[in-house]
Amino acid sequence: MELSYWQSRWNKHKTGFHMQIVYPLLPPHWPRLALSKEARILVPLCGKSLDLNWFMEQGHYVIGVEVSELAIRTFLEQHDLLDEATTDSKGDFTIYCTPCGEFWVGDLLKLHPNWIDPIDAVYDKAAIVALREDQRPDYARHMRTLVSPDTPMMIQTFDYPQDEMPGPPFSVPIEEIESYYGDRYTIEVLEKRNRLDDLAKFKQRGLETHLWEYVLLLTPKSAK
Ligand SMILES: C[S@@+](CC[C@H](N)C(=O)[O-])C[C@H]1O[C@@H](n2cnc3c(N)ncnc32)[C@H](O)[C@@H]1O
C-alpha cells in the first residue's frame, strides 16, 4: 500500500489493525530468542502497538519505525513518554528519543543502516503482511540490510486464499518468507492457529476457506 493510504487511515482513525492488548502470542514465545534484558529490538511498521511498551517493560530498548507521526505521538502520549521525549532528525526522518526507545517517523525503506546502532532482534508483527506482493521483496531486502546475518527475527504472518479477500493484511505464506530469508535463517513454526472464526471482519470481506495465522522464529544459520 502507498504511504498515503496508511497516513490517511491514521488520520481518519481507521486503525482496526491496532490491538488494545499486547499480542497474546508475544509473551509466551519471546523467551525463545534468549535475549539479554538490554537487547535492542527493531520493530518495523510499529504503529502504536502495545507490544512496544511490553518490550520496554522487559528492559529491552526499542527501535520503532513508523510512517505515521500521529501513531508515534499517540503511543508516546498514552505511555507518558511524550513529555520526556526529545526529537532529532536524520534524512527525511523525525526521531523521537526516550530513555527506553527511539521512534523513527518515516518510510522504513529510507532508513539507512548506518543510522541505527546494532540490532539484537527483529519483531515483525502485522508488518510484512501490511505490504502488497510487489512491495514485499524490497521490504525484505531492506530489512536484511538493517540487521546483521546473526540477528534473529520473530515474524507473524497470515496464510489464506488471496483471491477471496483483498489485503491488508495480505497472505504471506511461509514459502514466501523462506524465499526472502531462507538462505540466512532456519524457519520454525512457533504457533499456527486457525483465525477464520475469531476474525469475523475478514469473513465479511469475503474470506471463507481458511485463515491461518503463524508465528515464526527465524534463527540465523550462522549462529549454529
Ligand atoms: C497493519 S499496521 C500494523 C502496526 C503494528 N505493527 C501493529 O501490530 O499494530 C501497519 C503499519 O505500518 C505502517 N507503514 C506502512 N508502510 C510503512 C513504511 N514503508 N514505512 C514505515 N511505516 C509504514 C502503517 O502506517 C501502519 O501503522
Side-chain angles (χ1 to χ4, degrees), residues 13 15 43 66 70 79 131:
H13 304 287
T15 51
V43 187
E66 166 58 51
L70 177 60
H79 298 277
L131 303 172

Side-chain angles (χ1 to χ4, degrees), residues 52 127 129 163 179 192:
L52 299 164
V129 294
D163 55 354
S179 73
K192 174 184 181 184

Side-chain angles (χ1 to χ4, degrees), residues 3-201:
L3 295 180
S4 56
Y5 164 87
W6 292 107
Q7 298 278 22
S8 160
R9 282 192 65 162
W10 279 103
N11 292 338
K12 292 178 183 162
H13 304 287
K14 290 190 173 172
T15 51
F17 52 79
H18 174 71
M19 294 173 69
Q20 305 293 346
I21 53 170
V22 172
Y23 179 49
L25 302 182
L26 171 61
H29 291 299
W30 192 249
R32 276 295 308 280
L33 278 80
L35 298 164
S36 69
K37 206 169 169 247
E38 311 71 34
R40 295 166 51 82
I41 317 301
L42 176 62
V43 187
L45 284 52
C46 64
K48 57 171 184 173
S49 168
L50 298 189
D51 304 347
L52 299 164
N53 193 55
W54 185 83
F55 284 130
M56 292 174 173
E57 285 171 357
Q58 308 313 301
H60 295 334
Y61 184 87
V62 169
I63 298 94
V65 187
E66 166 58 51
V67 72
S68 167
E69 185 154 18
L70 177 60
I72 293 303
R73 289 186 67 92
T74 305
F75 170 80
L76 294 171
E77 198 165 26
Q78 287 175 347
H79 298 277
D80 295 326
L81 294 166
L82 192 55
D83 287 343
E84 62 175 316
T86 57
T87 54
D88 200 351
S89 64
K90 195 100 183 169
D92 292 341
F93 286 86
T94 299
I95 313 149
Y96 286 81
C97 304
T98 77
C100 33
E102 60 198 46
F103 299 89
W104 292 67
V105 177
D107 179 359
L108 176 101
L109 295 186
K110 293 193 175 158
L111 183 63
H112 196 285
N114 292 348
W115 294 347
I116 50 173
D117 287 336
I119 300 295
D120 297 305
V122 169
Y123 178 63
D124 182 316
K125 152 77 183 17
I128 196 164
V129 294
L131 303 172
R132 285 192 319 257
E133 189 176 11
D134 61 304
Q135 297 176 310
R136 296 194 291 262
D138 284 345
Y139 166 82
R141 250 194 308 275
H142 195 64
M143 286 301 293
R144 291 169 61 112
T145 69
L146 294 176
V147 299
S148 79
D150 57 2
T151 307
M153 302 194 196
M154 182 181 280
I155 300 181
Q156 177 235 19
T157 188
F158 290 114
D159 188 339
Y160 67 86
Q162 191 66 81
D163 55 354
E164 290 184 12
M165 180 180 90
F170 294 94
S171 175
V172 186
I174 296 181
E175 298 72 37
E176 188 179 328
I177 301 285
E178 179 88 37
S179 73
Y180 300 139
Y181 298 119
D183 59 329
R184 267 192 193 179
Y185 293 94
T186 303
I187 300 178
E188 181 185 345
V189 176
L190 295 178
E191 192 102 29
K192 174 184 181 184
R193 51 181 194 165
N194 181 355
R195 300 301 307 281
L196 195 55
D197 291 331
D198 330 341
L199 296 173
K201 58 182 178 179

